[in-house]
PDB file of all heavy atoms in Angstrom:
ATOM      1  N   ASN X  28      37.002  65.650 162.357  1.00  0.00           N
ATOM      2  CA  ASN X  28      36.480  66.939 161.861  1.00  0.00           C
ATOM      3  C   ASN X  28      34.981  67.031 162.121  1.00  0.00           C
ATOM      4  O   ASN X  28      34.343  66.109 162.677  1.00  0.00           O
ATOM      5  CB  ASN X  28      36.839  67.158 160.389  1.00  0.00           C
ATOM      6  CG  ASN X  28      36.128  66.204 159.444  1.00  0.00           C
ATOM      7  OD1 ASN X  28      35.148  65.543 159.807  1.00  0.00           O
ATOM      8  ND2 ASN X  28      36.601  66.149 158.201  1.00  0.00           N
ATOM      9  N   ALA X  29      34.385  68.131 161.705  1.00  0.00           N
ATOM     10  CA  ALA X  29      32.960  68.373 161.983  1.00  0.00           C
ATOM     11  C   ALA X  29      32.058  67.392 161.280  1.00  0.00           C
ATOM     12  O   ALA X  29      30.875  67.222 161.678  1.00  0.00           O
ATOM     13  CB  ALA X  29      32.617  69.819 161.568  1.00  0.00           C
ATOM     14  N   ASP X  30      32.542  66.745 160.221  1.00  0.00           N
ATOM     15  CA  ASP X  30      31.723  65.747 159.489  1.00  0.00           C
ATOM     16  C   ASP X  30      31.885  64.351 160.036  1.00  0.00           C
ATOM     17  O   ASP X  30      31.363  63.391 159.490  1.00  0.00           O
ATOM     18  CB  ASP X  30      32.134  65.743 158.008  1.00  0.00           C
ATOM     19  CG  ASP X  30      31.817  67.066 157.308  1.00  0.00           C
ATOM     20  OD1 ASP X  30      30.718  67.599 157.552  1.00  0.00           O
ATOM     21  OD2 ASP X  30      32.651  67.542 156.512  1.00  0.00           O
ATOM     22  N   GLY X  31      32.645  64.214 161.153  1.00  0.00           N
ATOM     23  CA  GLY X  31      32.841  62.895 161.719  1.00  0.00           C
ATOM     24  C   GLY X  31      33.849  62.065 160.980  1.00  0.00           C
ATOM     25  O   GLY X  31      33.834  60.816 161.070  1.00  0.00           O
ATOM     26  N   GLN X  32      34.766  62.731 160.256  1.00  0.00           N
ATOM     27  CA  GLN X  32      35.804  62.040 159.517  1.00  0.00           C
ATOM     28  C   GLN X  32      37.171  62.350 160.143  1.00  0.00           C
ATOM     29  O   GLN X  32      37.396  63.448 160.664  1.00  0.00           O
ATOM     30  CB  GLN X  32      35.827  62.501 158.050  1.00  0.00           C
ATOM     31  CG  GLN X  32      34.491  62.420 157.338  1.00  0.00           C
ATOM     32  CD  GLN X  32      34.078  60.987 157.073  1.00  0.00           C
ATOM     33  OE1 GLN X  32      34.892  60.164 156.680  1.00  0.00           O
ATOM     34  NE2 GLN X  32      32.789  60.688 157.269  1.00  0.00           N
ATOM     35  N   LEU X  33      38.072  61.389 160.090  1.00  0.00           N
ATOM     36  CA  LEU X  33      39.420  61.609 160.569  1.00  0.00           C
ATOM     37  C   LEU X  33      40.221  62.405 159.535  1.00  0.00           C
ATOM     38  O   LEU X  33      40.153  62.136 158.340  1.00  0.00           O
ATOM     39  CB  LEU X  33      40.145  60.285 160.809  1.00  0.00           C
ATOM     40  CG  LEU X  33      39.854  59.554 162.118  1.00  0.00           C
ATOM     41  CD1 LEU X  33      40.529  58.176 162.098  1.00  0.00           C
ATOM     42  CD2 LEU X  33      40.336  60.347 163.305  1.00  0.00           C
ATOM     43  N   GLU X  34      40.984  63.387 160.034  1.00  0.00           N
ATOM     44  CA  GLU X  34      41.891  64.151 159.190  1.00  0.00           C
ATOM     45  C   GLU X  34      43.310  63.890 159.641  1.00  0.00           C
ATOM     46  O   GLU X  34      43.614  63.953 160.833  1.00  0.00           O
ATOM     47  CB  GLU X  34      41.615  65.655 159.292  1.00  0.00           C
ATOM     48  CG  GLU X  34      40.276  66.074 158.708  1.00  0.00           C
ATOM     49  CD  GLU X  34      40.054  67.583 158.808  1.00  0.00           C
ATOM     50  OE1 GLU X  34      40.763  68.220 159.645  1.00  0.00           O
ATOM     51  OE2 GLU X  34      39.210  68.122 158.087  1.00  0.00           O
ATOM     52  N   TYR X  35      44.189  63.607 158.695  1.00  0.00           N
ATOM     53  CA  TYR X  35      45.612  63.423 159.020  1.00  0.00           C
ATOM     54  C   TYR X  35      46.253  64.789 159.218  1.00  0.00           C
ATOM     55  O   TYR X  35      46.031  65.701 158.424  1.00  0.00           O
ATOM     56  CB  TYR X  35      46.302  62.660 157.874  1.00  0.00           C
ATOM     57  CG  TYR X  35      47.803  62.527 158.074  1.00  0.00           C
ATOM     58  CD1 TYR X  35      48.348  61.515 158.866  1.00  0.00           C
ATOM     59  CD2 TYR X  35      48.703  63.426 157.464  1.00  0.00           C
ATOM     60  CE1 TYR X  35      49.706  61.396 159.044  1.00  0.00           C
ATOM     61  CE2 TYR X  35      50.057  63.320 157.649  1.00  0.00           C
ATOM     62  CZ  TYR X  35      50.557  62.297 158.456  1.00  0.00           C
ATOM     63  OH  TYR X  35      51.910  62.187 158.634  1.00  0.00           O
ATOM     64  N   VAL X  36      47.091  64.918 160.257  1.00  0.00           N
ATOM     65  CA  VAL X  36      47.734  66.188 160.557  1.00  0.00           C
ATOM     66  C   VAL X  36      49.238  66.107 160.306  1.00  0.00           C
ATOM     67  O   VAL X  36      49.811  66.883 159.515  1.00  0.00           O
ATOM     68  CB  VAL X  36      47.461  66.628 162.001  1.00  0.00           C
ATOM     69  CG1 VAL X  36      48.199  67.928 162.318  1.00  0.00           C
ATOM     70  CG2 VAL X  36      45.951  66.822 162.227  1.00  0.00           C
ATOM     71  N   SER X  37      49.907  65.150 160.962  1.00  0.00           N
ATOM     72  CA  SER X  37      51.370  65.034 160.803  1.00  0.00           C
ATOM     73  C   SER X  37      51.837  63.769 161.540  1.00  0.00           C
ATOM     74  O   SER X  37      51.019  63.009 162.058  1.00  0.00           O
ATOM     75  CB  SER X  37      52.095  66.253 161.389  1.00  0.00           C
ATOM     76  OG  SER X  37      51.876  66.336 162.800  1.00  0.00           O
ATOM     77  N   ARG X  38      53.154  63.570 161.584  1.00  0.00           N
ATOM     78  CA  ARG X  38      53.753  62.477 162.318  1.00  0.00           C
ATOM     79  C   ARG X  38      54.163  62.925 163.714  1.00  0.00           C
ATOM     80  O   ARG X  38      54.503  64.095 163.945  1.00  0.00           O
ATOM     81  CB  ARG X  38      54.989  61.932 161.606  1.00  0.00           C
ATOM     82  CG  ARG X  38      54.715  61.115 160.377  1.00  0.00           C
ATOM     83  CD  ARG X  38      54.069  59.776 160.673  1.00  0.00           C
ATOM     84  NE  ARG X  38      54.891  58.911 161.537  1.00  0.00           N
ATOM     85  CZ  ARG X  38      54.463  57.708 161.960  1.00  0.00           C
ATOM     86  NH1 ARG X  38      53.287  57.260 161.610  1.00  0.00           N
ATOM     87  NH2 ARG X  38      55.285  56.974 162.716  1.00  0.00           N
ATOM     88  N   ALA X  39      54.173  61.966 164.635  1.00  0.00           N
ATOM     89  CA  ALA X  39      54.645  62.242 165.987  1.00  0.00           C
ATOM     90  C   ALA X  39      56.120  61.877 166.138  1.00  0.00           C
ATOM     91  O   ALA X  39      56.701  62.050 167.182  1.00  0.00           O
ATOM     92  CB  ALA X  39      53.826  61.459 167.006  1.00  0.00           C
ATOM     93  N   ASP X  40      56.711  61.336 165.054  1.00  0.00           N
ATOM     94  CA  ASP X  40      58.115  60.905 165.128  1.00  0.00           C
ATOM     95  C   ASP X  40      58.812  61.245 163.803  1.00  0.00           C
ATOM     96  O   ASP X  40      58.353  62.131 163.092  1.00  0.00           O
ATOM     97  CB  ASP X  40      58.204  59.413 165.439  1.00  0.00           C
ATOM     98  CG  ASP X  40      57.446  58.548 164.429  1.00  0.00           C
ATOM     99  OD1 ASP X  40      57.167  59.050 163.307  1.00  0.00           O
ATOM    100  OD2 ASP X  40      57.132  57.389 164.740  1.00  0.00           O
ATOM    101  N   ASP X  41      59.905  60.554 163.501  1.00  0.00           N
ATOM    102  CA  ASP X  41      60.705  60.889 162.317  1.00  0.00           C
ATOM    103  C   ASP X  41      60.401  60.028 161.121  1.00  0.00           C
ATOM    104  O   ASP X  41      61.201  59.947 160.200  1.00  0.00           O
ATOM    105  CB  ASP X  41      62.220  60.758 162.657  1.00  0.00           C
ATOM    106  CG  ASP X  41      62.694  61.900 163.559  1.00  0.00           C
ATOM    107  OD1 ASP X  41      62.053  62.973 163.500  1.00  0.00           O
ATOM    108  OD2 ASP X  41      63.660  61.694 164.309  1.00  0.00           O
ATOM    109  N   GLN X  42      59.246  59.383 161.103  1.00  0.00           N
ATOM    110  CA  GLN X  42      58.866  58.592 159.916  1.00  0.00           C
ATOM    111  C   GLN X  42      58.254  59.545 158.885  1.00  0.00           C
ATOM    112  O   GLN X  42      57.535  60.463 159.244  1.00  0.00           O
ATOM    113  CB  GLN X  42      57.855  57.502 160.308  1.00  0.00           C
ATOM    114  CG  GLN X  42      57.536  56.567 159.119  1.00  0.00           C
ATOM    115  CD  GLN X  42      56.355  55.650 159.449  1.00  0.00           C
ATOM    116  OE1 GLN X  42      55.262  55.787 158.948  1.00  0.00           O
ATOM    117  NE2 GLN X  42      56.609  54.710 160.356  1.00  0.00           N
ATOM    118  N   VAL X  43      58.542  59.290 157.609  1.00  0.00           N
ATOM    119  CA  VAL X  43      57.949  60.088 156.538  1.00  0.00           C
ATOM    120  C   VAL X  43      57.396  59.171 155.467  1.00  0.00           C
ATOM    121  O   VAL X  43      57.736  57.984 155.406  1.00  0.00           O
ATOM    122  CB  VAL X  43      58.994  61.061 155.893  1.00  0.00           C
ATOM    123  CG1 VAL X  43      59.506  62.034 156.917  1.00  0.00           C
ATOM    124  CG2 VAL X  43      60.131  60.302 155.225  1.00  0.00           C
ATOM    125  N   LYS X  44      56.501  59.722 154.649  1.00  0.00           N
ATOM    126  CA  LYS X  44      55.992  59.017 153.458  1.00  0.00           C
ATOM    127  C   LYS X  44      56.443  59.828 152.239  1.00  0.00           C
ATOM    128  O   LYS X  44      56.129  61.011 152.151  1.00  0.00           O
ATOM    129  CB  LYS X  44      54.482  58.896 153.493  1.00  0.00           C
ATOM    130  CG  LYS X  44      53.947  57.799 154.420  1.00  0.00           C
ATOM    131  CD  LYS X  44      54.271  56.423 153.881  1.00  0.00           C
ATOM    132  CE  LYS X  44      53.558  55.322 154.626  1.00  0.00           C
ATOM    133  NZ  LYS X  44      52.158  55.174 154.277  1.00  0.00           N
ATOM    134  N   LEU X  45      57.135  59.192 151.347  1.00  0.00           N
ATOM    135  CA  LEU X  45      57.642  59.872 150.164  1.00  0.00           C
ATOM    136  C   LEU X  45      57.384  58.996 148.943  1.00  0.00           C
ATOM    137  O   LEU X  45      57.900  57.895 148.828  1.00  0.00           O
ATOM    138  CB  LEU X  45      59.163  60.126 150.300  1.00  0.00           C
ATOM    139  CG  LEU X  45      59.826  60.950 149.221  1.00  0.00           C
ATOM    140  CD1 LEU X  45      59.257  62.368 149.197  1.00  0.00           C
ATOM    141  CD2 LEU X  45      61.344  61.010 149.442  1.00  0.00           C
ATOM    142  N   ARG X  46      56.498  59.486 148.052  1.00  0.00           N
ATOM    143  CA  ARG X  46      56.082  58.729 146.861  1.00  0.00           C
ATOM    144  C   ARG X  46      55.629  57.318 147.217  1.00  0.00           C
ATOM    145  O   ARG X  46      55.895  56.351 146.504  1.00  0.00           O
ATOM    146  CB  ARG X  46      57.198  58.716 145.821  1.00  0.00           C
ATOM    147  CG  ARG X  46      57.531  60.085 145.272  1.00  0.00           C
ATOM    148  CD  ARG X  46      58.438  60.041 144.063  1.00  0.00           C
ATOM    149  NE  ARG X  46      59.798  59.716 144.413  1.00  0.00           N
ATOM    150  CZ  ARG X  46      60.684  60.602 144.882  1.00  0.00           C
ATOM    151  NH1 ARG X  46      60.316  61.846 145.049  1.00  0.00           N
ATOM    152  NH2 ARG X  46      61.923  60.248 145.155  1.00  0.00           N
ATOM    153  N   GLY X  47      54.965  57.185 148.364  1.00  0.00           N
ATOM    154  CA  GLY X  47      54.427  55.906 148.784  1.00  0.00           C
ATOM    155  C   GLY X  47      55.379  55.089 149.612  1.00  0.00           C
ATOM    156  O   GLY X  47      54.961  54.125 150.238  1.00  0.00           O
ATOM    157  N   PHE X  48      56.644  55.435 149.651  1.00  0.00           N
ATOM    158  CA  PHE X  48      57.623  54.696 150.458  1.00  0.00           C
ATOM    159  C   PHE X  48      57.509  55.149 151.919  1.00  0.00           C
ATOM    160  O   PHE X  48      57.457  56.353 152.188  1.00  0.00           O
ATOM    161  CB  PHE X  48      59.052  54.980 149.969  1.00  0.00           C
ATOM    162  CG  PHE X  48      59.409  54.332 148.667  1.00  0.00           C
ATOM    163  CD1 PHE X  48      59.138  54.996 147.473  1.00  0.00           C
ATOM    164  CD2 PHE X  48      59.978  53.072 148.607  1.00  0.00           C
ATOM    165  CE1 PHE X  48      59.456  54.408 146.259  1.00  0.00           C
ATOM    166  CE2 PHE X  48      60.278  52.480 147.401  1.00  0.00           C
ATOM    167  CZ  PHE X  48      60.012  53.153 146.223  1.00  0.00           C
ATOM    168  N   ARG X  49      57.466  54.193 152.823  1.00  0.00           N
ATOM    169  CA  ARG X  49      57.461  54.493 154.241  1.00  0.00           C
ATOM    170  C   ARG X  49      58.921  54.451 154.706  1.00  0.00           C
ATOM    171  O   ARG X  49      59.572  53.428 154.660  1.00  0.00           O
ATOM    172  CB  ARG X  49      56.610  53.442 154.969  1.00  0.00           C
ATOM    173  CG  ARG X  49      56.708  53.478 156.464  1.00  0.00           C
ATOM    174  CD  ARG X  49      55.704  52.496 157.054  1.00  0.00           C
ATOM    175  NE  ARG X  49      56.060  52.053 158.376  1.00  0.00           N
ATOM    176  CZ  ARG X  49      55.332  51.238 159.100  1.00  0.00           C
ATOM    177  NH1 ARG X  49      54.229  50.740 158.603  1.00  0.00           N
ATOM    178  NH2 ARG X  49      55.729  50.877 160.316  1.00  0.00           N
ATOM    179  N   ILE X  50      59.420  55.626 155.103  1.00  0.00           N
ATOM    180  CA  ILE X  50      60.840  55.770 155.397  1.00  0.00           C
ATOM    181  C   ILE X  50      61.028  56.269 156.825  1.00  0.00           C
ATOM    182  O   ILE X  50      60.464  57.289 157.209  1.00  0.00           O
ATOM    183  CB  ILE X  50      61.502  56.741 154.399  1.00  0.00           C
ATOM    184  CG1 ILE X  50      61.305  56.287 152.973  1.00  0.00           C
ATOM    185  CG2 ILE X  50      62.994  56.899 154.719  1.00  0.00           C
ATOM    186  CD1 ILE X  50      61.621  57.378 151.945  1.00  0.00           C
ATOM    187  N   GLU X  51      61.816  55.548 157.595  1.00  0.00           N
ATOM    188  CA  GLU X  51      62.261  56.045 158.898  1.00  0.00           C
ATOM    189  C   GLU X  51      63.551  56.818 158.657  1.00  0.00           C
ATOM    190  O   GLU X  51      64.558  56.244 158.218  1.00  0.00           O
ATOM    191  CB  GLU X  51      62.514  54.876 159.849  1.00  0.00           C
ATOM    192  CG  GLU X  51      61.272  54.079 160.213  1.00  0.00           C
ATOM    193  CD  GLU X  51      60.484  54.698 161.342  1.00  0.00           C
ATOM    194  OE1 GLU X  51      60.877  55.800 161.803  1.00  0.00           O
ATOM    195  OE2 GLU X  51      59.481  54.073 161.770  1.00  0.00           O
ATOM    196  N   LEU X  52      63.538  58.127 158.901  1.00  0.00           N
ATOM    197  CA  LEU X  52      64.723  58.948 158.653  1.00  0.00           C
ATOM    198  C   LEU X  52      65.919  58.402 159.431  1.00  0.00           C
ATOM    199  O   LEU X  52      67.079  58.489 158.982  1.00  0.00           O
ATOM    200  CB  LEU X  52      64.470  60.389 159.019  1.00  0.00           C
ATOM    201  CG  LEU X  52      63.332  61.075 158.203  1.00  0.00           C
ATOM    202  CD1 LEU X  52      63.192  62.528 158.652  1.00  0.00           C
ATOM    203  CD2 LEU X  52      63.605  61.016 156.706  1.00  0.00           C
ATOM    204  N   GLY X  53      65.675  57.825 160.590  1.00  0.00           N
ATOM    205  CA  GLY X  53      66.751  57.258 161.407  1.00  0.00           C
ATOM    206  C   GLY X  53      67.484  56.147 160.703  1.00  0.00           C
ATOM    207  O   GLY X  53      68.710  55.950 160.915  1.00  0.00           O
ATOM    208  N   GLU X  54      66.787  55.363 159.875  1.00  0.00           N
ATOM    209  CA  GLU X  54      67.442  54.282 159.155  1.00  0.00           C
ATOM    210  C   GLU X  54      68.458  54.840 158.144  1.00  0.00           C
ATOM    211  O   GLU X  54      69.590  54.360 158.028  1.00  0.00           O
ATOM    212  CB  GLU X  54      66.434  53.391 158.426  1.00  0.00           C
ATOM    213  CG  GLU X  54      67.102  52.263 157.663  1.00  0.00           C
ATOM    214  CD  GLU X  54      66.121  51.289 157.029  1.00  0.00           C
ATOM    215  OE1 GLU X  54      64.912  51.408 157.246  1.00  0.00           O
ATOM    216  OE2 GLU X  54      66.596  50.419 156.277  1.00  0.00           O
ATOM    217  N   VAL X  55      68.043  55.892 157.424  1.00  0.00           N
ATOM    218  CA  VAL X  55      68.953  56.515 156.451  1.00  0.00           C
ATOM    219  C   VAL X  55      70.121  57.165 157.167  1.00  0.00           C
ATOM    220  O   VAL X  55      71.286  57.053 156.733  1.00  0.00           O
ATOM    221  CB  VAL X  55      68.186  57.540 155.580  1.00  0.00           C
ATOM    222  CG1 VAL X  55      69.067  58.074 154.506  1.00  0.00           C
ATOM    223  CG2 VAL X  55      66.928  56.929 155.002  1.00  0.00           C
ATOM    224  N   GLU X  56      69.833  57.835 158.263  1.00  0.00           N
ATOM    225  CA  GLU X  56      70.891  58.498 159.032  1.00  0.00           C
ATOM    226  C   GLU X  56      71.893  57.498 159.578  1.00  0.00           C
ATOM    227  O   GLU X  56      73.102  57.738 159.598  1.00  0.00           O
ATOM    228  CB  GLU X  56      70.269  59.325 160.162  1.00  0.00           C
ATOM    229  CG  GLU X  56      69.502  60.542 159.682  1.00  0.00           C
ATOM    230  CD  GLU X  56      68.666  61.199 160.731  1.00  0.00           C
ATOM    231  OE1 GLU X  56      68.510  60.590 161.831  1.00  0.00           O
ATOM    232  OE2 GLU X  56      68.152  62.305 160.505  1.00  0.00           O
ATOM    233  N   ALA X  57      71.398  56.334 160.006  1.00  0.00           N
ATOM    234  CA  ALA X  57      72.291  55.295 160.533  1.00  0.00           C
ATOM    235  C   ALA X  57      73.248  54.800 159.469  1.00  0.00           C
ATOM    236  O   ALA X  57      74.434  54.573 159.712  1.00  0.00           O
ATOM    237  CB  ALA X  57      71.465  54.124 161.097  1.00  0.00           C
ATOM    238  N   VAL X  58      72.746  54.626 158.230  1.00  0.00           N
ATOM    239  CA  VAL X  58      73.600  54.160 157.135  1.00  0.00           C
ATOM    240  C   VAL X  58      74.659  55.235 156.803  1.00  0.00           C
ATOM    241  O   VAL X  58      75.852  54.926 156.645  1.00  0.00           O
ATOM    242  CB  VAL X  58      72.760  53.825 155.892  1.00  0.00           C
ATOM    243  CG1 VAL X  58      73.661  53.540 154.683  1.00  0.00           C
ATOM    244  CG2 VAL X  58      71.858  52.643 156.177  1.00  0.00           C
ATOM    245  N   LEU X  59      74.207  56.495 156.711  1.00  0.00           N
ATOM    246  CA  LEU X  59      75.159  57.559 156.393  1.00  0.00           C
ATOM    247  C   LEU X  59      76.229  57.729 157.485  1.00  0.00           C
ATOM    248  O   LEU X  59      77.392  57.981 157.193  1.00  0.00           O
ATOM    249  CB  LEU X  59      74.409  58.884 156.200  1.00  0.00           C
ATOM    250  CG  LEU X  59      73.454  58.922 154.977  1.00  0.00           C
ATOM    251  CD1 LEU X  59      72.641  60.192 154.983  1.00  0.00           C
ATOM    252  CD2 LEU X  59      74.236  58.809 153.676  1.00  0.00           C
ATOM    253  N   SER X  60      75.824  57.586 158.739  1.00  0.00           N
ATOM    254  CA  SER X  60      76.744  57.781 159.833  1.00  0.00           C
ATOM    255  C   SER X  60      77.805  56.661 159.871  1.00  0.00           C
ATOM    256  O   SER X  60      78.846  56.809 160.500  1.00  0.00           O
ATOM    257  CB  SER X  60      76.004  57.800 161.188  1.00  0.00           C
ATOM    258  OG  SER X  60      75.135  58.931 161.218  1.00  0.00           O
ATOM    259  N   GLY X  61      77.523  55.561 159.202  1.00  0.00           N
ATOM    260  CA  GLY X  61      78.480  54.485 159.151  1.00  0.00           C
ATOM    261  C   GLY X  61      79.500  54.594 158.061  1.00  0.00           C
ATOM    262  O   GLY X  61      80.415  53.790 157.950  1.00  0.00           O
ATOM    263  N   LEU X  62      79.377  55.657 157.228  1.00  0.00           N
ATOM    264  CA  LEU X  62      80.342  55.856 156.139  1.00  0.00           C
ATOM    265  C   LEU X  62      81.639  56.456 156.676  1.00  0.00           C
ATOM    266  O   LEU X  62      81.630  57.231 157.636  1.00  0.00           O
ATOM    267  CB  LEU X  62      79.748  56.794 155.087  1.00  0.00           C
ATOM    268  CG  LEU X  62      78.501  56.272 154.344  1.00  0.00           C
ATOM    269  CD1 LEU X  62      77.969  57.353 153.421  1.00  0.00           C
ATOM    270  CD2 LEU X  62      78.843  55.029 153.549  1.00  0.00           C
ATOM    271  N   PRO X  63      82.749  56.143 156.066  1.00  0.00           N
ATOM    272  CA  PRO X  63      84.066  56.726 156.490  1.00  0.00           C
ATOM    273  C   PRO X  63      84.013  58.258 156.419  1.00  0.00           C
ATOM    274  O   PRO X  63      83.522  58.827 155.436  1.00  0.00           O
ATOM    275  CB  PRO X  63      85.046  56.152 155.462  1.00  0.00           C
ATOM    276  CG  PRO X  63      84.397  54.938 154.938  1.00  0.00           C
ATOM    277  CD  PRO X  63      82.935  55.200 154.913  1.00  0.00           C
ATOM    278  N   GLY X  64      84.479  58.894 157.472  1.00  0.00           N
ATOM    279  CA  GLY X  64      84.572  60.343 157.442  1.00  0.00           C
ATOM    280  C   GLY X  64      83.298  61.070 157.874  1.00  0.00           C
ATOM    281  O   GLY X  64      83.262  62.291 157.921  1.00  0.00           O
ATOM    282  N   VAL X  65      82.216  60.305 158.137  1.00  0.00           N
ATOM    283  CA  VAL X  65      80.945  60.934 158.532  1.00  0.00           C
ATOM    284  C   VAL X  65      80.748  60.695 160.034  1.00  0.00           C
ATOM    285  O   VAL X  65      80.622  59.547 160.470  1.00  0.00           O
ATOM    286  CB  VAL X  65      79.756  60.358 157.761  1.00  0.00           C
ATOM    287  CG1 VAL X  65      78.437  61.011 158.226  1.00  0.00           C
ATOM    288  CG2 VAL X  65      79.918  60.581 156.266  1.00  0.00           C
ATOM    289  N   SER X  66      80.728  61.784 160.812  1.00  0.00           N
ATOM    290  CA  SER X  66      80.547  61.642 162.253  1.00  0.00           C
ATOM    291  C   SER X  66      79.103  61.794 162.668  1.00  0.00           C
ATOM    292  O   SER X  66      78.684  61.280 163.702  1.00  0.00           O
ATOM    293  CB  SER X  66      81.413  62.678 163.006  1.00  0.00           C
ATOM    294  OG  SER X  66      81.046  63.986 162.612  1.00  0.00           O
ATOM    295  N   ALA X  67      78.315  62.522 161.892  1.00  0.00           N
ATOM    296  CA  ALA X  67      76.890  62.715 162.179  1.00  0.00           C
ATOM    297  C   ALA X  67      76.157  63.027 160.888  1.00  0.00           C
ATOM    298  O   ALA X  67      76.737  63.552 159.945  1.00  0.00           O
ATOM    299  CB  ALA X  67      76.697  63.843 163.191  1.00  0.00           C
ATOM    300  N   ALA X  68      74.867  62.683 160.844  1.00  0.00           N
ATOM    301  CA  ALA X  68      74.067  62.924 159.633  1.00  0.00           C
ATOM    302  C   ALA X  68      72.651  63.330 160.045  1.00  0.00           C
ATOM    303  O   ALA X  68      72.130  62.880 161.069  1.00  0.00           O
ATOM    304  CB  ALA X  68      74.038  61.683 158.752  1.00  0.00           C
TER     305      ALA X  68
END
C-alpha cells in the first residue's frame, strides 16, 4: 500500500482460514467424497 505496508487480499487457491484453523477445502471434499452414496462434494 501507499504506506509501504503489505495488505492481504485473498487466496490464490482453495485454502481458507476459519477461526484460526488453516483448512484446505480439498481435504474436506476428499473425505466427503469417500462416504457411501457421495459421488462429488
